[in-house]
Amino acid sequence: PTRRSSDLAVLNAESRRVGAFRGQRVLLETVADQIAGAINAARMHAELQRRADLFAMTSELSRTALEAGSFEQTLEFISAFIHERFGLEICGIFLAGHDGRLALRARTGPPSRVSERGALPDGPSVTMRAYRTGESQYVPDVRLDPDYCPGSDRVRAEYALPIRLQGRLLGVITTQSATV
């Protein structure tokens, strides 16, 4: 049979007896349809749960940001929230200045060259690549990316996401994880 785009899975029934399924085709197709319904319901439930979790996280982040007393404190709260929520090694928020250079405005995690200087070192970095291209940069293994700028010896993966407001690129949130 040809595969249909609506096929979710395959029910494979095997027997050592010749003719074991004779007269059972309708029953097996009914069982397969029931399994398909259960799989589809589980997928829909997982998607609804994902959306509910995203809504709850967005709501909590907004509430946290509103409790801050200053812009700098808001950035620190956001960095700490993302760091804790995703179990990261490092979370940093870089914003572009009037000169177009990125400056570290908030950071959560162990000290590094970047946190001590307040700016990215000259040269390539995943964060700068995200800013320069305006596209998210996911690096599943930082040891294999020539642009990776070490933030901690424990970091194994980095995800740098551009920060935009009404189409204008404001900076980059960089998240670094000790797990791949």
Side-chain angles (χ1 to χ4, degrees):
T2 58
R3 185 181 184 289
R4 297 180 305 244
S5 63
S6 61
D7 288 346
L8 295 175
V10 174
L11 173 62
N12 182 35
E14 300 178 12
S15 175
R16 293 182 179 191
R17 293 181 306 128
V18 173
F21 303 112
R22 190 172 293 127
Q24 301 298 316
R25 183 175 173 180
V26 173
L27 177 60
L28 288 171
E29 287 177 356
T30 301
V31 169
D33 287 344
Q34 294 301 311
I35 292 170
I39 290 171
N40 194 44
R43 284 182 177 173
M44 288 174 47
H45 176 75
E47 176 61 17
L48 288 173
Q49 185 63 51
R50 185 191 69 79
R51 289 181 185 198
D53 290 346
L54 182 60
F55 180 74
M57 183 180 70
T58 303
S59 175
E60 187 177 346
L61 181 59
S62 296
R63 182 186 49 76
T64 299
L66 289 173
E67 291 174 357
S70 67
F71 180 66
E72 286 73 23
Q73 192 177 27
T74 299
L75 294 177
E76 290 292 335
F77 280 0
I78 291 170
S79 175
F81 177 86
I82 293 170
H83 181 266
E84 182 181 330
R85 175 70 165 81
F86 293 101
L88 300 171
E89 180 72 8
I90 297 169
C91 179
I93 300 175
F94 292 84
L95 297 180
H98 296 298
D99 59 0
R101 294 181 53 110
L102 290 180
L104 181 63
R105 298 295 299 270
R107 185 177 185 284
T108 307
S112 71
R113 293 185 306 157
V114 174
S115 65
E116 291 166 1
R117 292 181 55 198
L120 290 168
D122 291 333
S125 71
V126 176
T127 302
M128 277 306 298
R129 191 169 67 211
Y131 183 67
R132 191 178 62 253
T133 65
E135 296 177 5
S136 297
Q137 301 292 312
Y138 173 58
V139 179
D141 187 346
V142 296
R143 297 169 297 182
L144 302 177
D145 193 304
D147 289 346
Y148 176 67
C149 177
S152 162
D153 292 340
R154 292 176 32 103
V155 171
R156 294 292 170 257
E158 180 173 4
Y159 193 34
L161 301 106
I163 303 169
R164 294 184 184 284
L165 178 64
Q166 299 173 344
R168 189 169 146 240
L169 185 59
L170 302 177
V172 176
I173 294 178
T174 181
T175 59
Q176 298 180 27
S177 175
T179 58
V180 177

